[in-house]
Amino acid sequence: SSLEDVQVEMLKKARELFQLCDKDEKGFITKVDMQRLQSELPLSLEQLEAVFDSLEQNNNGFLTPVEFSMGLEKLLGLDLGGGAGGMDPPSHEETFEAGWADDLEPADEEEKRFCSMLEQLGAAQRFEEPRELRELWARLRRERPELLAGFEEFLGRVASYIQEVNRERETMEQALKRKESDHDREVRCLYEEMEQQIKAERERLICQEALRQERSNLLQKELHSKEQELEKILYHQKKLEHQLQSLNSEQLETRVQNKRLQHLNQSLLEELEKSKWELEAVKGQLQKLQKEAQVEQEQKDR
């Protein structure tokens, strides 16, 4: 019965570990599921992959509950199937899925011995919740003492892994702190340099603004003078336009008078022609009368 209790306890722990890996409740575990435990277990990705490879038997890329429990058997040197004869895989899987629970209360003396053992292994303060490990250690010590040395060795390896991971974490934290300090120093230098650049740029902009304002004042003065000149030019232009309008009106009046004079001249020319014609006619009649008078005079003389 004691052996069965140990087997039940191991199966319970195996089931809990399997459920921890199989968070999606697929019914099997992949290497990716094992790698996801990196945030929950003090193991690196390479160590988790090594654990997966040691548990996998069929080399099919995933672990069923039976393969997981049997792999733990080989890894811990236990027989969770029930003795030398073992059990067939379906019964083994049913036992695994059933997960009997049996809570054992350790005595104070056993707790002191367990703490002493952890101190000897250098694993004190390495495990966050050592109660389950203490219960398993006490059960093995009472019922399977031949497995106790292997279990303690396993705890020592896990503790060494945890210690190594903690050292790596401390090293990484120190490196991160140094990097953060260097980063803060670089940021401070960049900030000071940026402040200097901003100050220089502000002074340059102030100088440019002063030059722009001075240039604007000069341009405004020039514009004012140009506006005055333009007003004078417009005044002269209006005056010239008025004079031009006067000249145009005078020219129009002169043109009208010229036309009237031309018409009058034409009338006078026509009258002159008529007078010339009448004068020619009178002259012809006068010559005719002179000839008649001459003829009469000759007749009288005769």
Side-chain angles (χ1 to χ4, degrees):
S1 61
S2 298
L3 180 60
E4 290 179 355
D5 292 340
V6 174
Q7 292 173 353
V8 170
E9 185 67 21
M10 294 299 295
L11 287 173
K12 178 183 177 182
K13 302 304 178 184
R15 179 178 61 82
E16 292 177 356
L17 185 57
F18 185 85
Q19 291 177 352
L20 181 63
C21 295
D22 187 18
K23 294 182 179 181
D24 298 334
E25 297 182 357
K26 302 184 297 295
F28 59 90
I29 298 173
T30 63
K31 187 174 291 187
V32 177
D33 296 330
M34 186 70 71
Q35 292 174 351
R36 291 176 182 173
L37 296 179
Q38 186 183 10
S39 60
E40 301 180 12
L41 296 177
L43 298 176
S44 63
L45 291 177
E46 291 78 8
Q47 293 170 347
L48 290 172
E49 291 178 358
V51 172
F52 183 86
D53 294 336
S54 63
L55 295 178
E56 187 181 13
Q57 298 178 4
N58 297 331
N59 295 324
N60 51 9
F62 61 90
L63 291 173
T64 62
V66 176
E67 290 177 344
F68 188 78
S69 61
M70 294 178 66
L72 287 178
E73 290 179 11
K74 294 182 179 180
L75 182 63
L76 299 178
L78 300 176
D79 185 8
L80 302 181
M87 298 178 64
D88 55 352
S91 300
H92 195 162
E93 185 173 359
E94 292 175 1
T95 304
F96 177 82
E97 294 296 340
W100 300 308
D102 185 13
D103 296 331
L104 297 175
E105 294 295 331
D108 294 339
E109 187 66 25
E110 290 179 348
E111 183 176 357
K112 291 180 181 179
R113 290 182 180 179
F114 179 76
C115 294
S116 177
M117 181 270 297
L118 290 181
E119 290 178 358
Q120 291 178 0
L121 294 175
Q125 306 298 329
R126 300 299 182 193
F127 302 99
E128 296 181 357
E129 296 182 358
R131 184 179 61 85
E132 297 180 355
L133 294 176
R134 185 175 62 248
E135 293 175 358
L136 181 59
W137 178 82
R139 189 178 293 274
L140 288 175
R141 184 172 174 272
R142 290 193 304 268
E143 300 172 1
R144 297 292 296 275
E146 69 277 7
L147 302 178
L148 189 61
F151 182 68
E152 291 178 355
E153 183 182 358
F154 174 73
L155 290 179
R157 289 199 303 267
V158 172
S160 64
Y161 282 142
I162 295 174
Q163 185 177 4
E164 183 181 355
V165 169
N166 289 334
R167 283 198 300 267
E168 292 179 356
R169 184 183 62 188
E170 291 176 358
T171 304
M172 290 181 64
E173 287 179 354
Q174 293 177 0
L176 287 175
K177 288 181 180 178
R178 289 195 300 269
K179 191 171 183 180
E180 184 178 0
S181 177
D182 295 338
H183 178 70
D184 292 339
R185 186 169 57 256
E186 291 178 0
V187 170
R188 194 179 303 110
C189 293
L190 289 175
Y191 181 77
E192 292 176 356
E193 184 179 355
M194 187 180 299
E195 285 291 333
Q196 293 177 359
Q197 291 179 357
I198 291 174
K199 185 177 180 180
E201 186 68 18
R202 188 183 296 113
E203 292 177 355
R204 187 180 65 82
L205 290 176
I206 291 172
C207 293
Q208 287 184 355
E209 186 65 24
L211 292 174
R212 190 181 297 111
Q213 188 66 28
E214 183 179 359
R215 190 178 302 169
S216 177
N217 294 332
L218 292 175
L219 290 174
Q220 286 181 357
K221 290 180 181 179
E222 291 180 0
L223 180 63
H224 184 66
S225 61
K226 295 295 182 183
E227 287 178 352
Q228 290 179 352
E229 292 179 0
L230 181 62
E231 288 178 357
K232 292 180 181 180
I233 292 172
L234 290 175
Y235 174 75
H236 289 297
Q237 183 181 1
K238 289 181 180 179
K239 187 176 180 181
L240 291 174
E241 287 179 353
H242 182 67
Q243 292 178 358
L244 181 62
Q245 289 178 358
S246 300
L247 290 174
N248 288 333
S249 61
E250 291 177 359
Q251 287 180 359
L252 181 61
E253 185 177 357
T254 303
R255 200 178 299 116
V256 172
Q257 290 179 359
N258 288 333
K259 287 184 179 180
R260 188 180 302 158
L261 290 173
Q262 288 178 359
H263 183 67
L264 182 59
N265 190 20
Q266 186 69 26
S267 299
L268 291 174
L269 288 175
E270 290 179 354
E271 290 180 359
L272 180 59
E273 289 292 332
K274 185 178 181 181
S275 297
K276 286 170 104 180
W277 182 77
E278 290 178 352
L279 181 60
E280 288 292 335
V282 170
K283 189 185 290 186
Q285 290 179 0
L286 182 59
Q287 289 177 358
K288 182 178 180 180
L289 289 174
Q290 286 178 357
K291 287 180 179 182
E292 289 179 355
Q294 187 177 0
V295 171
E296 288 179 0
Q297 187 68 30
E298 288 178 358
Q299 287 178 0
K300 286 179 180 181
D301 291 337
R302 283 192 197 128

